[in-house]
Amino acid sequence: MIQLDHKNILADLVGNANGITSGEIQRSEARARRALTAFRKRSEDGSVGFPHLPFQAEVINQIQQYAAEMRGSYDTVCVVGIGGSALGAWALDCGIRGPHPVQGAFTAEHPRLVILDNVDPSFTQSALDSMDPRKTLVVVIAKSGGTAETVSTFLIVREWIKNGRGRIAAVTTDGKGDLFELASREKYRPFWIPENVGGRFSVLSPVGLVPAALIGIDLRKLARGAMAMTHRCWQPDLDENIALRAALCHWLLWTRKAKSIQVAFPYSNHLWGTAFWFRQLWAESLGKAADRAGKTVHTGQTPVAALGTTDQHSQVQLYIEGPNDKVFTFWAVGRFAAAGKIPRERLGLEAFDALGGQSLAKLIDAERRATAAAMLEAGRPNCTFTLDRVDEEHLGAFLQMMEFQTAFMGELLGIDAFDQPGVELAKKLTYGLMGRKGFEKYRRQFDAYERKRTRAR
Ligand code: PA5
């Protein structure tokens, strides 16, 4: 269903300075298996919950039932959430229904998904102006229940929807946090995020599944794909376990060849949302100052999202001739929903006549393979995931595989992939600046930075 071709990272193909020998890969396989065992322990003792999500049939049924009850009463689903509480819904919508500009007319049968993540006031106002409060179903999502962006936008949306309170669902932590309190008080339809599932690993929890079901995505098929992939990701055989194989390749390229940037390069507009979801997953999980033993490491590979073929005309010049500090992961699609047949013409014009009678599917595939070959020529390591198709089963499997890959990479690096201490200070300083009670000391800390800036020459 999903394959990984990692041959183009081999030293034989990209040279010793940039590639890994098959001997090195073989010698590291035992280390990869230890990473698998360590992560399996975290999954079994319940400290990390995402591997279990696709198996929670009861939760999936409840969400499908809720979506069935509500169907027909709205033409827009408005998600209020940010980070891991927003990107999964976007990846699923874009993956299954395509990017917004090509989604077709929005109706009660084919509702629009609007995601209010950023607190850009003009964006928020334009979004509200584009929706009808009587036909909008709001889903507010926050695991902590108190994220500044989500809370403030939700207050605006709550007032905007006024009498439509029956059409608010809240996805948060059971029994904890201010959103839980408000949802209980105002009787929003609640859905719970398991404590052991972090935001960026939550796409297959109610965080991603509630919006997905409301826009008509088949959750059972998503879960079926993710379950099959979960079984694969527990296999010690690296030919079977593509998440472990991919994590090992990236670990070797980062730690031995200093490939500090990974470009996720989908050749499919449907996978563009997933590329942004992956960017958060890889960055926030792996970018860490200290390892599990407390040693300063400042590790992490920077994820970049590029779209094929579009970014061949934007980024690839840099990728082929600029600093050789990257590894490229192409995401290919075996069979597109449409072939894009190009009419056969005999215009006597070579550029047109050469391509007439062929298909866009063949062209996008040729362009990806040609770009990979050009990268080899320039000594740029790359690998390719191929999804047979982009449908619920394949997308569910791909998302789950990426989460496993990230968890394995965390184990290989010896860091905690499930926390995010680096984002805390800015959050607290923001609360200080916004005058939140209990955060006065951060206001003072911010003022001290300002004084320092004034003195700096
Ligand atoms: O992955 C994470 O943990 C974060 O990106 C969170 O998803 C993000 O900060 C939003 O958090 P919350 O759901 O509490 O609003």
Side-chain angles (χ1 to χ4, degrees), residues 357-400:
Q358 307 204 54
S359 73
L360 297 182
K362 185 175 174 197
L363 179 60
I364 199 169
D365 191 56
E367 295 219 30
R368 177 185 50 75
R369 290 190 293 134
T371 303
M375 281 178 173
L376 282 194
E377 189 66 25
R380 314 281 153 150
N382 60 84
C383 52
T384 304
F385 284 118
T386 303
L387 285 75
D388 288 350
R389 285 188 297 282
V390 184
D391 58 11
E392 277 101 335
E393 280 194 63
H394 287 79
L395 193 57
F398 193 56
L399 296 167
Q400 187 76 341

Side-chain angles (χ1 to χ4, degrees), residues 262-266 272 274-279 302-307 311 315 319 331:
Q262 183 191 169
V263 180
F265 215 151
W272 193 220
T274 300
F276 281 81
W277 168 86
F278 169 74
R279 200 175 61 153
T302 304
V304 171
L307 177 65
D311 285 327
Q315 309 285 305
Y319 294 164
W331 300 355

Side-chain angles (χ1 to χ4, degrees), residues 80-82 114-129 148-150 152-154 156-157:
V80 183
I82 194 165
V114 172
I115 300 176
L116 298 181
D117 52 355
N118 200 7
V119 285
D120 174 334
S122 352
F123 164 69
T124 307
Q125 190 56 52
S126 309
L128 293 181
D129 291 346
E149 293 91 337
T150 303
S152 48
T153 303
F154 181 62
I156 295 171
V157 172

Side-chain angles (χ1 to χ4, degrees), residues 132-195:
D132 177 346
R134 291 161 307 165
K135 291 191 190 160
T136 299
L137 202 162
V138 174
V139 186
V140 54
I141 309 177
K143 186 175 181 202
S144 60
T147 303
E149 293 91 337
T150 303
V151 163
S152 48
T153 303
F154 181 62
L155 284 177
I156 295 171
V157 172
R158 175 174 165 271
E159 187 183 80
W160 170 82
I161 206 166
K162 286 199 187 95
N163 302 321
R165 280 197 194 149
R167 287 145 57 130
I168 299 179
V171 183
T172 190
T173 305
D174 190 5
K176 254 203 215 164
D178 287 353
L179 178 58
F180 169 78
E181 288 303 326
L182 186 67
S184 314
R185 211 184 285 167
E186 300 195 343
K187 303 203 178 345
Y188 305 154
R189 179 64 180 254
F191 294 94
W192 309 129
I193 310 171
E195 291 257 19

Side-chain angles (χ1 to χ4, degrees), residues 260-421:
S260 59
I261 298 170
Q262 183 191 169
V263 180
F265 215 151
Y267 273 62
S268 155
N269 287 59
H270 280 250
L271 294 176
W272 193 220
T274 300
F276 281 81
W277 168 86
F278 169 74
R279 200 175 61 153
Q280 184 218 10
L281 179 68
W282 201 247
E284 207 167 28
S285 303
L286 304 175
K288 297 291 153 70
D291 67 12
R292 284 191 184 269
K295 190 170 146 233
T296 301
V297 287
H298 291 297
T299 192
Q301 211 185 24
T302 304
V304 171
L307 177 65
T309 64
T310 308
D311 285 327
Q312 287 180 202
H313 301 266
S314 157
Q315 309 285 305
V316 167
Q317 169 62 32
L318 169 79
Y319 294 164
I320 301 260
E321 292 194 353
N324 200 341
D325 53 359
K326 303 172 194 66
V327 46
F328 301 88
T329 306
F330 295 107
W331 300 355
V333 175
R335 187 140 41 91
F336 288 88
K341 187 140 185 38
I342 307 169
R344 187 183 299 281
E345 293 285 355
R346 287 286 169 261
L347 302 175
L349 301 167
E350 193 44 41
F352 290 91
D353 291 354
L355 295 169
Q358 307 204 54
S359 73
L360 297 182
K362 185 175 174 197
L363 179 60
I364 199 169
D365 191 56
E367 295 219 30
R368 177 185 50 75
R369 290 190 293 134
T371 303
M375 281 178 173
L376 282 194
E377 189 66 25
R380 314 281 153 150
N382 60 84
C383 52
T384 304
F385 284 118
T386 303
L387 285 75
D388 288 350
R389 285 188 297 282
V390 184
D391 58 11
E392 277 101 335
E393 280 194 63
H394 287 79
L395 193 57
F398 193 56
L399 296 167
Q400 187 76 341
M401 190 276 295
M402 288 295 195
E403 294 185 3
F404 268 96
Q405 183 198 349
T406 307
F408 294 147
M409 182 73 164
E411 298 297 341
L412 285 163
L413 291 169
I415 52 103
D416 183 349
F418 304 98
D419 64 0
Q420 53 284 324

